[in-house]
Amino acid sequence: MRLLAFRRVPVAMSWQDNLTVVLVEPRNPLNIGAAARAMLNFGFRRLALVTPYDVAFREARSAVGAAAVLAEAQVTKTVAEAVAGCSLVAGTASPEGRVFRQPRRPLPAGSRLLRTHLARDRAALLFGSEKHGLSNQHLSHCQWVLRIPTDPVCPSMNLGQAVALCCYELAREARSGGPKEPARPAAPAELQEKIFERLLGLLETSGYVQARTRRSHVLKLRRLVGRLALSPPDAQVLLGMLRQIEWKLDQSG
């Protein structure tokens, strides 16, 4: 049997290049390879992995024709690193019995919003591990959650299939002409994270956040900053305010 050699074909920058697919704590190299192949099927190439369980994923046989996506995949220790540079972060979840603190959007409607954003700026789409999905800590980085309408009898999906389904919806939305409503630029994730860290530090200094309740406050505070949907200039102004308050407190001892 003759093996076909795949080579990467140079492509022009497009809206697909604004999306980073983030796999959080993936466990199976074959699933990672299948996700990479599904991404390339629909024109997406940016892949990031947060603490993958097996470092041998770059050689996954399931990534037929998508070896370049795996070779160029970014590996990070935290979600914050993986979504740096993105002004919108969305998570994915099945409709199982769980309380979500973020707005949940059905796959078609969420895809339209995400596609609108990708036309002008970068965004990240998070997928959880095969075993546990996205934790509340992971979801605290997300502005909203994309709901995949699986059946309650079997709510969880294979990781590669979930990535394929979401990428297909985005590509289908693009071919339909996409939504027409204007979109407002948003502050990138790393700027929002700086605001969160400064605000958390000030709240700890003031005694509002204490050691016993810190974990809960961290999740609530990060979600709050994300819901503000600050524009880049507004985010810089707020960050400057927090820095000034921090400096003044330091000066007063």
Side-chain angles (χ1 to χ4, degrees):
M1 180 178 67
R2 185 168 66 90
L3 296 177
L4 296 177
F6 293 92
R7 64 184 182 87
R8 190 177 184 188
V9 179
V11 294
M13 288 289 290
S14 66
W15 65 271
Q16 286 104 321
D17 293 308
N18 276 337
L19 179 71
T20 299
V21 172
V22 181
L23 308 183
V24 182
E25 299 176 2
R27 300 176 61 86
N28 191 324
L30 293 179
N31 287 339
I32 298 173
R37 182 180 183 182
M39 289 171 57
L40 199 58
N41 282 150
F42 298 104
F44 301 98
R45 296 168 179 81
R46 291 183 182 270
L47 175 64
L49 300 102
V50 180
T51 58
Y53 185 74
D54 192 329
V55 296
F57 71 87
R58 296 189 195 273
E59 301 173 4
R61 298 179 184 177
S62 52
V64 179
V69 174
L70 292 183
E72 297 172 8
Q74 178 189 15
V75 178
T76 69
K77 294 182 179 180
T78 66
V79 172
E81 293 175 85
V83 303
C86 299
S87 53
L88 171 65
V89 182
T92 55
S94 58
E96 56 188 303
R98 178 180 176 184
V99 177
F100 288 88
R101 302 301 180 186
Q102 297 84 358
R104 300 185 70 195
R105 307 187 190 281
L107 183 58
S111 296
R112 285 193 292 273
L113 289 174
L114 189 53
R115 173 65 184 87
T116 299
H117 189 92
L118 292 171
R120 59 179 172 79
D121 208 351
R122 290 183 57 190
L125 185 57
L126 271 59
F127 296 84
S129 74
E130 301 91 327
K131 191 172 183 179
H132 303 294
L134 292 171
S135 69
N136 289 335
Q137 177 66 33
H138 301 145
L139 286 171
S140 70
H141 292 270
C142 302
Q143 279 92 337
W144 45 268
V145 177
L146 193 65
R147 181 171 61 83
I148 300 176
T150 54
D151 193 284
V153 176
C154 185
S156 62
M157 290 187 70
N158 171 272
L159 179 58
Q161 292 175 340
V163 173
L165 183 60
C166 292
C167 289
Y168 163 75
E169 277 293 331
L170 286 170
R172 185 171 72 91
E173 177 61 34
R175 293 190 180 95
S176 70
K180 306 302 181 185
E181 63 269 19
R184 175 173 171 262
E190 64 267 29
L191 183 52
Q192 296 182 45
E193 189 70 10
K194 288 179 181 178
I195 291 173
F196 157 75
E197 290 172 353
R198 294 274 179 174
L199 188 53
L200 177 61
L202 290 170
L203 292 175
E204 287 177 325
T205 300
S206 70
Y208 181 83
V209 174
Q210 301 178 6
R212 183 173 56 85
T213 57
R214 188 180 189 279
R215 180 178 176 82
S216 173
H217 277 108
V218 163
L219 296 178
K220 292 177 181 177
L221 186 60
R222 185 179 273 121
R223 288 194 294 259
L224 172 63
V225 173
R227 286 198 302 270
L228 293 176
L230 296 166
S231 67
D234 288 346
Q236 291 288 1
V237 170
L238 179 56
L239 184 59
M241 292 177 180
L242 295 174
R243 284 173 175 161
Q244 181 65 22
I245 294 171
E246 189 178 68
W247 177 83
K248 191 66 175 179
L249 290 175
D250 288 341
Q251 292 297 308
S252 62

